[in-house]
Amino acid sequence: MNPMTADNLRSAYGGESQAHMRYKAWGTKAKEEGFENVARLFNAISYAEEVHATNHFKALKDEKGDFSVNSGAVFGLGSTSENLQGAIDGENFEVEQMYPAYLKVAEMQNEKSAIRSMKFAIEAEKTHSRLFSKAKEAVDQGKDIKIGDVHVCEICGYTVEGELPEKCPICGVKEDKFKTFNK
Amino acid sequence: MNPMTADNLRSAYGGESQAHMRYKAWGTKAKEEGFENVARLFNAISYAEEVHATNHFKALKDEKGDFSVNSGAVFGLGSTSENLQGAIDGENFEVEQMYPAYLKVAEMQNEKSAIRSMKFAIEAEKTHSRLFSKAKEAVDQGKDIKIGDVHVCEICGYTVEGELPEKCPICGVKEDKFKTFNK
Ligand SMILES: [Fe+2]
Ligand SMILES: [Fe+2]
Ligand SMILES: [Fe+2]
Ligand SMILES: [Fe+2]
Ligand SMILES: [Fe+2]
Ligand SMILES: [Fe+2]
């Protein structure tokens, strides 16, 4: 793999791994504050970030060894409203800045496995940003978010609440490839 | 918190988050190769790294905002023998280089919460390094590792196989604070 794309994938892997972890911590906090559905949403999206991290790691399977990895990450364990703002900011950074830049380079270098795992991620992050924004609106009114079951595609990390889709709109797999986080 | 210790904690958080994630991927690979106990060990230690990452994240709770985080990480998805070597190298780097250096700085700056979460991690990593070394010896003879239940302390990440200890030798909590990964 071209070193620049490999570097970008490692950076994205580091970012996804850290997002996976902070959403778990923020989910615990939401539960403590009594926002059960927000907690469930954090857990579901934490799993989606695991899908992204794992896809990037697999795309890097032959790039073996120790590396110094530089990643953007959001910190702070505040109120659930603050944590949701951090989540929205992190998702939007990935959608607007990080993945578009990395994808341009990967496309220029024709790195197919990197393009695939990054495209899955950027499309899924858009669904995360929307869900977190909806959660923040509710929490800022002192309410829990009203959502049904949350379904996460195990292949691309697409996340949706309510009915289980017949087919993933991002990667095309069938409904049996979704992991459901129910009440 | 002093900026140098905060930076080191963020770096350690990034490293632990990435270790958590690669051990999951290496666990899946071990299972595919028929090493059920090695897979279970990877999953247990992946959970221990989650404990470390979460401890560091909580120690950083008031250091809010976006940061660029630089972390050491091991890459490559090879045979289970190769993956175990990567795991041993990563653990030893943390035991011999990373945490001793970060701890010296945290002690100089008298950063109590950082010292606590880093001391828990360095002691737990020693148990990880030993268990992975034992696993590699077995796998290099074509065998699965012979281990009983694997117990992980939810407070410090101490990891032990066989009998559940009455009390954690690192952090002192009682046996009900252990998570068990059984056959
Ligand atoms: Fe992601
Ligand atoms: Fe996301
Ligand atoms: Fe999908
Ligand atoms: Fe660790
Ligand atoms: Fe470890
Ligand atoms: Fe402990």
Side-chain angles (χ1 to χ4, degrees):
Chain A
M1 186 178 286
N2 282 292
M4 195 122 192
T5 288
D7 235 25
N8 290 342
L9 262 184
R10 281 189 290 268
S11 176
Y13 166 77
E16 297 286 356
S17 298
Q18 291 175 68
H20 165 76
M21 203 56 84
R22 72 177 170 268
Y23 290 168
K24 283 196 174 194
W26 288 345
T28 302
K29 179 73 177 175
K31 193 157 189 174
E32 285 167 11
E33 291 188 5
F35 300 114
E36 293 280 341
N37 284 339
V38 175
R40 195 157 51 84
L41 186 64
F42 269 128
N43 286 338
I45 296 182
S46 176
Y47 171 69
E49 311 310 357
E50 177 181 336
V51 169
H52 296 161
T54 305
N55 285 346
H56 297 340
F57 193 77
K58 284 182 181 168
L60 286 163
K61 66 180 166 28
D62 298 324
E63 306 291 314
K64 293 174 185 172
D66 298 335
F67 293 88
S68 177
V69 179
N70 208 58
S71 310
V74 184
F75 286 83
L77 187 53
S79 67
T80 295
S81 172
E82 285 178 290
N83 298 340
L84 282 166
Q85 188 59 55
I88 295 162
D89 293 345
E91 298 288 344
N92 288 348
F93 168 74
E94 289 183 352
V95 170
E96 293 162 13
Q97 300 277 328
M98 188 184 87
Y99 281 122
Y102 291 177
L103 269 165
K104 276 284 179 222
V105 176
E107 281 161 358
M108 180 185 79
Q109 298 186 333
N110 199 26
E111 290 288 1
K112 294 200 168 57
S113 63
I115 293 169
R116 180 176 182 274
S117 72
M118 288 175 180
K119 277 202 174 155
F120 283 177
I122 193 172
E123 294 307 318
E125 311 310 3
K126 291 175 191 171
T127 66
H128 300 168
S129 176
R130 282 197 295 271
L131 286 162
F132 283 137
S133 297
K134 197 175 153 188
K136 185 164 191 302
E137 270 177 45
V139 166
D140 284 349
Q141 294 172 11
K143 294 178 204 157
D144 199 359
I145 184 178
K146 278 188 191 158
I147 44 169
D149 291 348
V150 182
H151 313 281
V152 181
C153 175
E154 296 170 11
I155 306 303
C156 74
Y158 168 75
T159 304
V160 65
E161 67 94 11
E163 268 188 54
L164 179 63
E166 273 179 41
K167 191 178 127 151
C168 178
I170 296 176
C171 75
V173 294
K174 296 223 178 106
E175 57 190 358
D176 62 319
K177 292 288 186 195
F178 276 81
K179 182 166 172 165
T180 294
F181 295 76
N182 48 27
K183 295 194 190 180
Chain B
M1 187 178 288
N2 281 292
M4 194 120 193
T5 287
D7 234 26
N8 289 342
L9 262 184
R10 282 189 289 270
S11 176
Y13 167 77
E16 297 287 356
S17 299
Q18 292 175 67
H20 166 77
M21 203 54 86
R22 72 177 169 267
Y23 290 168
K24 283 197 175 193
W26 288 345
T28 303
K29 180 71 178 178
K31 194 158 188 173
E32 284 167 12
E33 290 188 5
F35 299 115
E36 293 280 339
N37 285 339
V38 176
R40 193 157 52 83
L41 186 64
F42 269 127
N43 287 339
I45 297 182
S46 175
Y47 171 69
E49 311 309 358
E50 177 181 335
V51 170
H52 296 161
T54 306
N55 286 345
H56 297 338
F57 193 78
K58 285 182 180 166
L60 286 162
K61 65 180 165 29
D62 297 324
E63 305 291 314
K64 293 174 184 174
D66 298 335
F67 294 88
S68 178
V69 179
N70 209 56
S71 310
V74 183
F75 286 83
L77 187 51
S79 67
T80 295
S81 172
E82 285 178 290
N83 299 339
L84 282 166
Q85 188 59 56
I88 294 162
D89 293 345
E91 298 288 346
N92 289 347
F93 168 75
E94 290 183 352
V95 170
E96 292 162 12
Q97 300 276 328
M98 189 184 88
Y99 282 121
Y102 291 177
L103 270 166
K104 277 282 178 222
V105 177
E107 282 161 359
M108 180 184 79
Q109 299 187 329
N110 199 26
E111 290 289 1
K112 293 201 170 53
S113 63
I115 292 169
R116 180 177 182 273
S117 72
M118 288 176 181
K119 276 203 176 154
F120 283 178
I122 192 172
E123 293 307 319
E125 312 309 4
K126 292 176 191 170
T127 66
H128 301 168
S129 177
R130 282 197 294 273
L131 286 163
F132 283 138
S133 297
K134 197 176 153 190
K136 184 161 192 301
E137 270 177 45
V139 166
D140 285 347
Q141 293 172 11
K143 295 177 206 158
D144 199 358
I145 185 178
K146 278 188 193 160
I147 43 169
D149 290 349
V150 182
H151 313 282
V152 181
C153 175
E154 296 170 12
I155 307 303
C156 75
Y158 168 74
T159 304
V160 65
E161 67 93 11
E163 270 188 53
L164 179 63
E166 274 178 40
K167 188 178 134 155
C168 178
I170 296 176
C171 75
V173 296
K174 296 223 179 107
E175 57 190 358
D176 62 318
K177 291 289 186 194
F178 277 80
K179 181 164 171 167
T180 294
F181 295 77
N182 49 26
K183 294 193 191 181

